Amino acid sequence: MLVVDDDSAVQVSLALLLKQAGFDARCADDPRQALQLLDDAPFDLVLQDMNFSLQTSGEEGLALLARIKERHPALPVLLMTAWGSIALAVRGVKAGAANFFTKPWDNGQLVALVEATLQAAPTAQSTPQSTRQALDARFEFGAIVGEHPKLLKVLETIGQVARTRAPVLILGESGTGKELVADAIHRNSPRAAQPIVKINMGAITPTLFESEMFGHVRGAFTDARSDRKGHVATASGGTLFLDEIGELQRGDQVKLLRVLQDQRYQPVGASASQQADLRVVSATNRELAELVAAGDFREDLFYRLNLITIRLPALRERRSDIPLLARHIVAGVAGSYGLGGIVLAPAALDWLAAQPWPGNIRQLKQTLERTVLLSGKDQLGQADFLATSAVDEGLPGARLGVDGMTLEQVERHMIEQALQQHGRNISRVAKALGLSRTALYRRLERHGLGGVDEDE
């Protein structure tokens, strides 16, 4: 391992810590010496400071990181920073660093980070140039569509860390597929036969947090008429997926931290704690490191969650995957609505690939599904998307009405299409639209669409 820092005290401290943990370490004072050492001998990991002179902007560190990734793209780099420079560290991770840690560091946490980073690093059998076919031959990634290099890098990381129990933090914009990545981690792990329990942390109110997460015993509070298992107990032996972890209230963060520290929890009203066997995967579209710097997220919980960090590229960063995704989504929509094969014309695929997609894959799916249902055609061209979508405006919150239609009119049109396609059979129409029979009846009455067939 290579430690790059102009402070000799930091060099000595890190070298001693790494030696005690069973690693060999060499030290460099500045970027020039570091690059020379990297060119002369192979290293498994670089621990690199962000400043090497009186200048404190961090640009020196970013420049060194860029040169290391240019010369040795597979070599993982851990950045050293202070909490005052957290935004700079985030820039470094986005530029290719594996992760970062802060000065002063916690010895145990840093050793765990080093070990996890080495586990996740590419091996001779898994390089950044691996093809999608090669990855699919080794892992189960069926639900994730695409072959862009940025996506392949994500899949490689999943394959490397899935077999471990290291906690994983998935970062990415809304709609990039964070839940699919969590599913892939679980599906490729030794825990695949056990459940993956998914929780939206932003949807749990503080008053119910302990009961929801840890369960309760009968009589613990007024409405506790029987014992109830919480999410932690249900996920024991499997994977606990904490979605929207950045929305967790600070008061509840310490309660979650206790579980992550020793895998023990105590149901509300119980007199003794219980043991859980969990693999924790969390996800957020926010920068947790920046929330820590702002005092909104606990530093110790952050380190427990982000031992391995996976950053998902936005859809606009892998445009070459859009045609593959579009065909996959259209085939799924056609199948779910009982339609025949639907073809996307080349001009339509070109148009889709050129859009900004601020809502990422979720927005692409919504646009494709809406156009399939409203057009009623077997082949979709660019004109069909222009007539039924406002996505080309590229604006968050762009209107969902199509061709001047209100949302009510769009709903009526979709119901009319389904009625026609399924011979006005109420059960089939409800299933095709993803509604219960009661919900469909209400909509039929509201839109004045009667005369359906009650037979199955």
Side-chain angles (χ1 to χ4, degrees):
M1 296 186 188
L2 179 62
V3 176
V4 190
D5 197 297
D6 61 339
D7 187 335
S8 60
V10 171
Q11 291 183 11
V12 171
S13 297
L14 284 176
L16 179 60
L17 174 64
L18 292 171
K19 182 177 180 180
Q20 291 172 341
F23 303 111
D24 293 327
R26 296 188 64 182
C27 300
D29 298 321
D30 55 44
R32 181 196 58 77
Q33 186 181 8
L35 292 170
Q36 184 63 56
L37 288 172
L38 290 173
D39 288 341
D40 291 343
F43 286 85
D44 296 322
L45 180 66
V46 175
L47 291 80
Q48 174 207 308
D49 194 19
M50 297 297 289
N51 297 291
F52 304 99
S53 67
L54 294 178
Q55 180 184 350
T56 59
S57 67
E59 295 300 326
E60 294 171 314
L62 292 174
L64 175 58
L65 172 65
R67 296 189 67 182
I68 291 175
K69 301 308 291 184
E70 179 183 352
R71 298 188 187 189
H72 311 278
L75 180 61
V77 178
L78 294 177
L79 301 178
M80 292 181 260
T81 188
W83 280 115
S85 304
I86 201 71
L88 188 66
V90 172
R91 282 179 59 193
V93 173
K94 290 180 178 179
N99 214 319
F100 68 91
F101 62 97
T102 59
K103 300 178 185 177
W105 56 82
D106 177 278
N107 285 348
Q109 290 175 348
L110 179 53
V111 170
L113 176 60
V114 166
E115 291 174 343
T117 303
L118 291 173
Q119 282 185 336
T123 63
Q125 291 76 36
S126 175
T127 68
Q129 287 75 41
S130 294
T131 65
R132 179 61 196 257
Q133 290 76 14
L135 289 166
D136 285 339
R138 299 168 55 211
F139 307 107
E140 172 52 54
F141 293 139
I144 302 177
V145 177
E147 51 190 31
H148 189 279
K150 288 188 176 181
L151 180 65
L152 296 186
K153 183 178 179 181
V154 169
L155 298 183
E156 286 179 350
T157 303
I158 294 173
Q160 290 287 330
V161 304
R163 65 179 181 270
T164 74
R165 64 177 299 160
V168 178
L169 174 63
I170 308 169
L171 300 177
E173 296 178 7
S174 295
T176 49
K178 294 186 286 295
E179 185 175 344
L180 289 179
V181 170
D183 286 334
I185 292 171
H186 177 73
R187 192 165 53 247
N188 289 281
S189 75
R191 299 167 175 264
Q194 301 301 317
I196 175 171
V197 177
K198 303 175 181 179
I199 312 159
N200 185 330
M201 304 306 286
I204 302 180
T205 60
T207 54
L208 296 177
F209 179 82
E210 289 182 276
S211 177
E212 289 287 322
M213 293 297 295
F214 312 134
H216 60 252
V217 299
R218 181 181 178 182
F221 46 86
T222 303
D223 294 326
R225 297 184 177 88
S226 61
D227 291 355
R228 179 183 182 276
K229 288 177 65 176
H231 297 309
V232 170
T234 303
S236 187
T239 301
L240 186 65
F241 176 48
L242 308 177
D243 199 9
E244 304 297 345
I245 188 66
E247 306 302 322
L248 182 62
Q249 296 293 315
R250 188 171 174 86
D252 295 327
Q253 292 171 18
V254 66
K255 302 170 186 174
L256 177 61
L257 178 64
R258 294 193 191 107
V259 179
L260 301 184
Q261 284 175 330
D262 56 17
Q263 300 268 302
R264 299 193 68 83
Y265 67 97
Q266 187 166 334
V268 178
S271 58
S273 62
Q274 300 180 21
Q275 188 73 37
D277 174 20
L278 298 173
R279 202 283 174 74
V280 177
V281 178
S282 51
T284 179
N285 58 8
R286 307 178 70 181
E287 285 291 350
L288 286 192
E290 294 178 355
L291 295 181
V292 173
D296 296 327
F297 202 87
R298 291 182 62 97
E299 178 182 350
D300 43 8
L301 178 57
F302 171 72
Y303 277 123
R304 286 286 176 181
L305 294 172
N306 87 323
L307 198 58
I308 299 293
T309 300
I310 296 177
R311 287 183 176 270
L312 299 189
L315 188 54
R316 61 185 174 275
E317 297 175 37
R318 55 182 187 108
R319 292 186 184 277
S320 61
D321 282 342
I322 291 178
L324 294 174
L325 283 162
R327 293 190 186 99
H328 175 79
I329 292 169
V330 165
V333 170
S336 66
Y337 286 99
L339 306 176
I342 296 175
V343 176
L344 292 168
L349 291 172
D350 290 342
W351 182 84
L352 290 168
Q355 303 311 306
W357 302 114
N360 293 293
I361 300 173
R362 184 181 295 124
Q363 186 183 14
L364 173 65
K365 183 178 186 299
Q366 181 190 67
T367 299
L368 289 164
E369 184 171 9
R370 189 167 63 242
T371 304
V372 166
L373 295 175
L374 294 180
S375 69
K377 297 179 179 179
D378 294 334
Q379 178 166 325
L380 301 178
Q382 179 179 345
D384 297 305
F385 288 96
L386 291 173
T388 60
S389 177
V391 69
D392 56 321
E393 295 176 18
L395 298 174
R399 64 181 179 87
L400 294 183
V402 293
D403 211 18
M405 296 168 66
T406 66
L407 187 58
E408 284 286 303
Q409 291 169 330
V410 171
E411 182 180 79
R412 178 188 172 95
H413 186 76
M414 292 179 67
I415 294 174
E416 287 175 334
Q417 289 270 1
L419 289 170
Q420 181 180 354
Q421 291 165 3
H422 297 283
R424 308 186 72 81
N425 182 291
I426 186 67
S427 295
R428 295 174 186 169
V429 171
K431 183 178 179 181
L433 294 174
L435 299 171
S436 66
R437 288 165 61 96
T438 302
L440 178 57
Y441 275 127
R442 288 199 299 267
R443 285 166 173 77
L444 290 172
E445 181 179 356
R446 186 169 73 240
H447 294 298
L449 300 171
V452 294
D453 185 356
E454 292 291 336
D455 295 336
E456 290 291 337

